Amino acid sequence: MQRKLLFPSIFILLLLSFSGAAQGLAGAKNLDRAVLMHVGYGPIFSSGDLQDRFGNGFSLDGGLTWLPANSNLELGFRVQFGFGDQVKEDILAGLRTSNGFVIGNQREPADIQLRQRQIFLGPALGYTLKIGKNQRAGLHLKTSVGYFFHRIRLQEDAVQNVPQLNDELSAGYDRLTGGLAIHQFIGYQQLAFDRRLNFYLGAEMTAGFTKGLRTFDIPLGTPPSSEGRTDIVLGLKAGLIIPFYFGEGREIFYR
């Protein structure tokens, strides 16, 4: 768990220092047109049909947004990557011995780990409802319509391989699933007026209307079900924004 959190923590600290520098050069008024680059991190929770396959995990998101002058309406593009180690469907059950091991080519138990992987990407539309004196700080609403897919990743043994899971056959195990999806975010967002911290935090939901994308499922011995799925991901997210303003601003602050 510590290793999972270490990289995002260091990454966010680096972005925080860069964000301060960018704001210091941008000017205090912060109402000019701007390109916003954002990155966030937080826990996710599976729901709907997805909870039968995966447990909880974490997600990283990022994107670019265009913000017109004197406007709180944002247009952009976002990507979210979800990951975790809670996989409820044992796709390797047919390969396990009576003791629960998968045997590798060295006739020893192979260390094969199952991991969850998710990706959402699509255009985004957002708006900030002003709270207080800063026009660009307040209740932030964002919606995206895009594509969502998920799969079970086989993390192979570093020493030996399992012939049944070679490159040609592994796709028959991963249960790749995808389809159109809607993402919703509600929370607080701030583009600093005369401070250095630009951030967002809140709750989010992704609802994917998906189906299996593989032609054959090896563990089942049949093609995947053609029935549609409703895969839901709930999450909490906190992130930093790096604004690149285009304009003079009313006042200029230097570090």
Side-chain angles (χ1 to χ4, degrees):
M1 179 65 72
Q2 290 180 345
R3 266 196 277 177
K4 287 181 182 177
L5 296 175
L6 180 60
F7 172 74
S9 299
I10 294 174
F11 192 44
I12 287 176
L13 286 173
L14 290 174
L15 285 174
L16 176 58
S17 63
F18 187 81
S19 176
Q23 178 65 28
L25 296 175
K29 190 174 181 181
N30 83 337
L31 292 179
D32 292 319
R33 63 189 187 278
V35 171
L36 310 178
M37 183 172 72
H38 63 83
V39 61
Y41 180 75
I44 54 175
F45 313 94
S46 299
S47 187
D49 293 328
L50 193 64
Q51 67 181 337
D52 295 330
R53 180 165 297 175
F54 297 139
N56 303 327
F58 296 91
S59 72
L60 283 167
D61 76 348
L64 291 174
T65 298
W66 171 251
L67 188 58
N70 299 303
S71 174
N72 281 9
L73 183 67
E74 302 179 8
L75 299 171
F77 187 86
R78 70 180 303 277
V79 177
Q80 179 162 298
F81 172 66
F83 56 95
D85 58 8
Q86 297 184 18
V87 179
K88 299 179 180 180
E89 296 178 356
D90 186 6
I91 55 175
L92 302 181
L95 302 179
R96 298 189 187 278
T97 67
S98 58
N99 294 323
F101 298 116
V102 176
I103 304 302
N105 64 341
Q106 298 180 13
R107 299 185 180 277
E108 296 289 339
D111 183 19
I112 307 294
Q113 302 293 326
L114 303 182
R115 299 287 186 260
Q116 61 165 301
R117 295 292 185 264
Q118 307 172 16
I119 289 182
F120 172 87
L121 65 164
L125 176 67
Y127 189 80
T128 300
L129 298 171
K130 172 186 173 184
I131 297 176
K133 296 180 179 180
N134 187 346
Q135 178 175 321
R136 286 180 168 172
L139 180 66
H140 187 70
L141 307 172
K142 182 174 290 185
T143 186
S144 303
V145 178
Y147 190 80
F148 173 72
F149 72 84
H150 57 83
R151 68 183 179 95
I152 300 173
R153 180 179 182 271
L154 295 168
Q155 185 168 303
E156 300 179 356
D157 192 304
V159 177
Q160 60 179 327
N161 63 69
V162 178
Q164 299 94 323
L165 302 177
N166 62 31
D167 292 341
E168 295 180 357
L169 298 175
S170 61
Y173 287 87
D174 69 3
R175 295 190 173 162
L176 179 65
T177 302
L180 294 177
I182 299 173
H183 176 270
Q184 304 284 339
F185 174 90
I186 181 170
Y188 182 84
Q189 177 170 296
Q190 172 182 286
L191 296 181
F193 185 74
D194 57 2
R195 291 164 289 179
R196 298 175 180 176
L197 184 59
N198 307 285
F199 68 93
Y200 59 95
L201 54 89
E204 60 186 0
M205 180 188 74
T206 302
F209 308 100
T210 64
K211 63 178 181 179
L213 300 179
R214 298 301 188 192
T215 57
F216 195 78
D217 187 302
I218 293 177
L220 294 177
T222 64
S225 173
S226 59
E227 293 185 5
R229 299 167 51 96
T230 302
D231 294 321
I232 298 175
V233 183
L234 306 174
L236 301 173
K237 187 63 57 65
L240 294 175
I241 303 169
I242 301 175
F244 298 92
Y245 290 104
F246 301 90
E248 294 296 328
R250 184 171 54 190
E251 298 177 71
I252 303 295
F253 286 79
Y254 298 95
R255 296 182 67 183

